């Protein structure tokens, strides 16, 4: 259980760093804070002292406590040998290889990584950005959180741009900002994957897409475009949209609805291989055979995709290349060199999880 002063300190710190107080704005009095938090004067004073020590507030004798210009120390630090890497899911099946490749490139010039995991939550992204900027990292590599939504952290990114602190986005980017990025052409890749299914006679395809990230939105758009360009009636398809914070049991209930429909899908296209693995297990438990009864495809070409039973047809994500490019790219930015954004074009990996209905 947190001590009283920490409850007050952390609450006020979040209010300050999330912009709910303006620079030089006066904080509530000690008495007002005691009433607000229902804590002792001792706890309030200890919390205020801790916030002073972190240079978030300052005291004017006889007038009270005021908000410090707390981000003024955010600036380019040529002496730093630490690069910040902010991921949505550090332990995710894609990121370990990306992280190792970034680390291998930056270590060649004696840089080390400072890692943060946001769990795809913009609030955690903000906290991670602040901690890394407070530490004066040499540069930042960021995978945006909930990139399909307006970012509540644009003020920090705009400050980073103004201060010319090196920053590189991977996997997605915020359209309001002008930082270099390394991304996949997710729309074109998913379109190619769905066109492959359509040409094999799969008209009734169920697409399942995570839509709080741009990757998922682009893949869903690619799904729709495949139907449009081949000329197959889009009404023959169905789409399930979900959030990265949804548990699979919520998604599985939506899938079950279509599995028990009179017009059951002949193929399921999953947002990524991780989801495809869960769907494959669900189908096996329902005694639905893949690909005999339903074909299944994923995206990313996860290491185990080739060893599943059946092996998974998917789109290849160049994790090694992305990690190396990100490592080289952030080093160039730190050295004040310009870099261009990179767009990868995933290739189709044909395996045993798809059947040709025309044969």
């Amino acid at each position: 259980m947190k001590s009283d002063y920490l409850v007050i300190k952390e609450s006020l710190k979040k209010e300050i760093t999330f912009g709910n107080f303006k620079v030089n704005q006066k904080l509530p009095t000690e008495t007002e804070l005691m009433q607000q938090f229902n804590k002792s004067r001792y706890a309030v004073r200890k919390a205020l002292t801790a916030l002073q020590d972190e240079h978030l507030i300052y005291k004017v004798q006889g007038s009270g406590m005021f908000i410090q210009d707390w981000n003024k120390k955010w600036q380019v630090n040529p002496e730093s040998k630490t690069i910040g890497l902010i991921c949505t899911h550090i332990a995710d099946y894609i990121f370990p290889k990306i992280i190792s490749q970034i680390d291998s490139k930056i270590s060649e010039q004696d840089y080390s990584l400072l890692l943060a995991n946001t769990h795809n939550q913009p609030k955690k992204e903000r906290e991670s950005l602040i901690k890394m900027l407070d530490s004066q990292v040499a540069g930042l590599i960021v995978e945006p959180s909930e990139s399909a939504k307006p970012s509540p952290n644009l003020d920090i990114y705009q400050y980073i741009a103004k201060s010319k602190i090196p920053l590189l986005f991977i996997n997605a980017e915020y359209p309001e900002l002008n930082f270099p990025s390394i991304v996949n052409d997710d729309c074109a890749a998913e379109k190619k994957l769905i066109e492959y299914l359509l040409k094999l006679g799969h008209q009734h395809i169920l697409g399942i897409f995570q839509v709080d990230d741009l990757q998922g939105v682009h893949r869903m758009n690619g799904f729709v475009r495949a139907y449009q360009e081949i000329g197959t009636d889009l009404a023959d398809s169905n789409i399930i949209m979900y959030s990265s914070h949804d548990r699979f049991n919520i998604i599985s209930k939506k899938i079950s609805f279509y599995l028990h429909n009179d017009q059951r899908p002949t193929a399921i296209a999953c947002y990524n291989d991780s989801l495809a693995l869960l769907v494959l297990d669900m189908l096996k438990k329902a005694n639905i055979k893949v690909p005999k009864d339903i074909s299944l495809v994923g995206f990313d070409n996860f290491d185990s995709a080739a060893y599943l039973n059946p092996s998974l047809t998917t789109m290849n994500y160049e994790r090694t290349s992305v990690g190396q490019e990100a490592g080289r790219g952030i080093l160039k930015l730190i050295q004040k060199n310009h870099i261009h954004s990179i767009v990868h074009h995933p290739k189709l990996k044909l395996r045993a999880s798809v059947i040709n209905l025309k044969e």
Side-chain angles (χ1 to χ4, degrees):
M1 185 175 178
K2 291 182 181 177
S3 60
D4 288 350
Y5 97 91
L6 275 177
V7 172
I8 301 170
K9 179 204 166 189
E10 290 179 7
S11 178
L12 288 175
K13 183 174 181 177
K14 186 168 288 187
E15 290 280 307
I16 293 167
T17 56
F18 275 73
N20 295 337
F21 291 104
K22 295 181 180 178
V23 173
N24 297 323
Q25 180 179 342
K26 185 179 179 181
L27 272 178
T29 64
E30 287 184 1
T31 301
E32 290 169 336
L33 290 172
M34 288 167 61
Q35 293 172 347
Q36 177 182 336
F37 291 98
N38 193 26
K39 304 295 183 185
S40 68
R41 188 177 298 276
Y42 170 79
V44 168
R45 285 184 174 175
K46 188 172 181 181
L48 294 176
T49 298
L51 292 171
Q52 273 186 283
D53 292 341
E54 292 187 25
H55 307 291
L56 293 170
I57 62 175
Y58 64 93
K59 184 175 184 179
V60 175
Q61 200 65 36
S63 297
M65 292 291 190
F66 294 82
I67 303 301
Q68 180 72 272
D69 188 3
W70 53 275
N71 58 10
K72 65 182 180 181
K73 64 180 179 180
W74 295 355
Q75 55 190 340
V76 177
N77 181 10
E79 303 302 318
S80 174
K81 299 299 286 185
T82 302
I83 292 171
L85 174 59
I86 300 176
C87 311
T88 56
H89 300 286
I90 283 179
D92 185 63
Y93 70 125
I94 281 177
F95 260 96
K97 184 169 286 187
I98 293 176
I99 292 169
S100 67
Q101 293 300 320
I102 292 173
D103 186 60
S104 69
K105 286 299 173 187
I106 67 171
S107 63
E108 292 173 3
Q109 296 189 28
D110 298 324
Y111 284 88
S112 60
L113 277 179
L114 177 61
L115 296 175
N117 189 2
T118 69
H119 299 286
N120 209 31
Q121 296 176 18
K123 284 187 178 181
K124 289 187 177 294
E125 177 185 285
R126 188 180 188 91
E127 292 167 0
S128 299
L129 285 167
I130 289 170
K131 287 179 182 177
M132 290 187 175
L133 291 167
D134 282 347
S135 300
Q136 293 194 329
V137 291
L140 287 161
I141 302 171
V142 180
E143 181 189 32
S145 296
E146 294 190 348
S147 53
K149 301 179 180 180
S151 173
N153 303 324
L154 287 181
D155 57 328
I156 292 185
Y157 286 113
Q158 287 162 351
Y159 193 98
I160 290 171
K162 180 182 175 183
S163 302
K164 297 183 179 179
I165 297 170
L167 185 144
L168 173 66
F169 284 129
I170 55 174
N171 292 337
E173 56 188 344
Y174 296 119
E176 304 92 338
L177 300 169
N178 191 30
F179 293 103
S181 62
I182 302 172
V183 297
N184 284 314
D185 190 343
D186 289 291
C187 181
E190 187 71 28
K191 177 174 169 288
K192 185 186 300 182
L193 181 59
I194 302 306
E195 284 175 345
Y196 169 70
L197 292 175
L198 290 170
K199 288 173 182 175
L200 295 183
H202 294 278
Q203 290 182 301
H204 305 296
I205 305 172
L206 174 62
I208 312 172
F209 300 102
Q210 179 180 304
V211 292
D212 50 354
D213 287 328
L214 282 175
Q215 299 99 304
V217 172
H218 291 325
R219 291 173 194 178
M220 183 171 65
N221 290 339
F223 180 98
V224 173
R225 287 187 187 181
Y227 272 85
Q228 291 172 332
E229 294 194 14
I230 282 189
T232 304
D233 190 350
L234 188 58
D236 289 337
S237 71
N238 288 289
I239 292 176
I240 293 173
M241 293 179 279
Y242 70 96
S243 161
S244 59
H245 309 298
D246 289 340
R247 294 184 180 275
F248 182 68
N249 67 323
I250 295 173
I251 304 168
S252 65
K253 288 176 183 177
K254 296 179 180 180
I255 298 171
S256 292
F257 171 80
Y258 292 105
L259 294 180
H260 295 95
N261 196 296
D262 291 338
Q263 198 174 71
R264 192 167 77 177
T266 62
I268 298 177
C270 295
Y271 164 69
N272 61 16
D273 293 350
S274 179
L275 177 63
L277 191 113
L278 295 173
V279 173
L280 178 61
D281 184 60
M282 175 188 175
L283 294 174
K284 286 182 177 179
K285 288 177 179 176
N287 200 30
I288 297 173
K289 295 180 174 57
V290 177
K292 181 180 178 182
D293 299 325
I294 294 180
S295 292
L296 182 68
V297 298
F299 200 112
D300 289 334
N301 196 26
F302 176 41
D303 289 340
S304 66
Y307 305 103
L308 297 175
N309 184 22
S311 56
L312 186 65
T313 293
T314 184
M315 300 302 293
N316 188 46
Y317 179 108
E318 295 286 352
R319 287 164 286 162
T320 298
S321 296
V322 168
Q324 292 176 353
E325 290 160 357
R328 288 193 295 263
I330 195 63
L331 290 174
K332 287 182 179 179
L333 291 173
I334 290 169
Q335 294 158 4
K336 302 187 185 304
N337 295 319
H338 175 75
I339 67 168
H340 294 285
S341 292
I342 298 172
V343 179
H344 284 270
H345 302 279
K347 299 290 192 297
L348 186 58
K349 290 288 184 180
L350 301 179
R351 298 198 179 101
S353 64
V354 174
I355 194 170
N356 188 344
L357 295 182
K358 292 182 177 180
E359 291 181 349

